[in-house]
Amino acid sequence: MRLLSGPDDRRAAMAGTVALVVVAVVYPIIADETTRPLAMYVLPPLITASLGGWRPTALIGTIGMALAVGTSLLGPLDAPSLIARWAVVLAGTVMGAIGAAIREAQSHRLAALDETVALRGAFERALAPAPISPPGFLAVSRYQPAESRLHLGGDFVEGVALDDGRLAVIIGDVCGHGPREAALGAALRAGWKSLALAGSDDPVEWASSLERSFFRDGRIEEYATVCTGWFDREQGLMRLVTLGHPPPIVLDGEPKEVPLKPSPPLGLGFEGPIIATDRPWHGEPVLFYSDGLIENPRRGDRSDRWGVEGLLRWLAALRDASDLPRIADALLTESATTRERDDDVAVLLVAGDDRLRRPPGDRPTP
């Protein structure tokens, strides 16, 4: 291991060396008039400790101690006085080295924390990336994990443009929240995206393939609820399947749930048919959400949960259902400020772009 392991250590050693030279020159000049101030030799290692790690501090301190011993032996001090002065220099060097070592360890921990935060951000983006909206659509997603340390959760959401212009979407919720569930959620999202872009346009096949690929061999103990499907502007149609997941809500006039034929969640070994539901859709906003939005309890009253009816009332009170980003932000703000974070929350809003509120002067070109 190199004694001076980095540029900070080298700069600190250089500064300590300069300080040693200055002290070694000044000390003999003032020694007689100031009763042998050997404590001056504490300054170089302390300066070094303030700039670098414990290694250069120990090096400069050792040299300083040797100079203090050498110069003091030439003077008239008795043994107790010498020992007292050497003790001061030695104690200052040791304390400086200890302080530098503590600061160095803290710097390493902060660097590791920064790396963890960066990895957490990358994982969050993998769980809830910004949906890709094809022409004619707008899709907006938001994500709020329940896990308080790494902020990783098992909810996942995605939206991709298919080759024929349709918008395919998925929202899912792995049972539990934490790194293990987050890893499975990211894998499910990536697997679904590959299926959706591989050419199959059948949401039933997407869901069945996820069941076979991830859960059929029994290696994964968790289960996951999923709602997935596509929106087609030309046909005026949406086709969706839900597997243990809350059905989406249409925000057109009075908010109402889309009546879907449910199937059990992925990972429970369901052998029966998964049934897709076709519903007319002409661009009206549709809200997908994970159950943390309606099941997290109110702060101070754990018996008070929003529930589907509470969410429908909140949505019915909206003055403008065409501003999707504002609705998504407001939903997560409401959840974060009034509810406990027992479960992750993910939301996805989809609409045709001709049904959205546009800023004044922003109109489509004829």
Side-chain angles (χ1 to χ4, degrees), residues 160-182:
V160 296
L162 303 181
D163 291 340
D164 58 6
R166 287 176 295 175
L167 173 66
V169 300
I170 187 172
I171 187 168
D173 181 0
V174 178
C175 178
H177 46 265
R180 181 184 178 92
E181 291 76 13

Side-chain angles (χ1 to χ4, degrees), residues 25-320:
V25 171
V26 171
Y27 176 78
I29 298 175
I30 66 172
D32 292 335
E33 289 78 10
T34 54
T35 65
R36 307 288 169 174
L38 289 175
M40 290 176 61
Y41 285 97
V42 175
L43 295 177
L46 293 183
I47 291 173
T48 306
S50 68
L51 299 175
W54 67 269
R55 295 179 181 87
T57 301
L59 175 63
I60 297 300
T62 300
I63 298 173
M65 187 67 188
L67 290 174
V69 171
T71 55
S72 62
L73 290 176
L74 301 176
L77 295 175
D78 54 25
S81 299
L82 285 176
I83 292 173
R85 284 164 169 76
W86 294 342
V88 170
V89 177
L90 180 62
T93 299
V94 171
M95 294 302 295
I98 292 174
I102 293 173
R103 190 187 67 247
E104 196 171 26
Q106 290 175 336
S107 297
H108 289 316
R109 285 195 293 269
L110 289 174
L113 177 61
D114 289 342
E115 183 178 359
T116 299
V117 171
L119 289 173
R120 186 199 75 189
F123 221 101
E124 283 188 12
R125 290 190 294 273
L127 289 169
I132 300 175
S133 304
F137 295 88
L138 178 64
V140 175
S141 67
R142 297 290 187 269
Y143 176 63
Q144 177 183 285
E147 204 273 335
S148 61
R149 293 173 300 165
L150 296 179
H151 290 193
L152 296 177
D155 288 6
F156 57 96
V157 60
E158 176 69 288
V160 296
L162 303 181
D163 291 340
D164 58 6
R166 287 176 295 175
L167 173 66
V169 300
I170 187 172
I171 187 168
D173 181 0
V174 178
C175 178
H177 46 265
R180 181 184 178 92
E181 291 76 13
L184 177 56
L188 287 169
R189 185 195 64 81
W192 171 87
K193 186 174 182 180
S194 298
L195 292 166
L197 296 178
S200 173
D201 64 353
D202 186 358
V204 171
E205 179 59 29
W206 300 344
S208 299
S209 296
L210 290 176
E211 174 72 36
R212 292 194 302 270
S213 301
F214 287 90
F215 301 99
R216 186 64 56 84
D217 59 13
R219 288 183 295 175
I220 296 177
E221 298 179 356
E222 290 82 1
Y223 66 88
T225 67
V226 166
C227 185
T228 184
W230 48 253
F231 294 84
D232 190 321
R233 293 303 310 271
E234 291 188 2
Q235 296 185 51
L237 185 69
M238 58 178 169
R239 176 172 294 172
L240 301 171
V241 299
T242 181
L243 298 96
H245 202 86
I249 296 173
V250 177
L251 309 182
D252 185 31
E254 188 71 19
K256 53 188 176 295
E257 289 187 310
V258 180
L260 301 180
K261 298 175 182 178
S263 297
L266 298 175
L268 296 185
F270 177 63
E271 299 290 344
I274 299 173
I275 301 175
T277 302
D278 290 351
R279 295 290 174 186
W281 182 75
H282 301 288
E284 55 269 28
V286 178
L287 167 66
F288 298 82
Y289 63 94
S290 61
D291 59 6
L293 182 66
I294 59 174
E295 293 183 1
N296 282 339
R298 182 176 294 278
R299 292 178 179 175
D301 183 3
R302 297 192 63 84
S303 65
D304 182 4
R305 287 171 167 78
W306 215 357
V308 175
E309 293 302 320
L311 175 58
L312 290 173
R313 287 194 298 271
W314 187 92
L315 293 169
L318 292 174
R319 295 183 178 180
D320 183 6

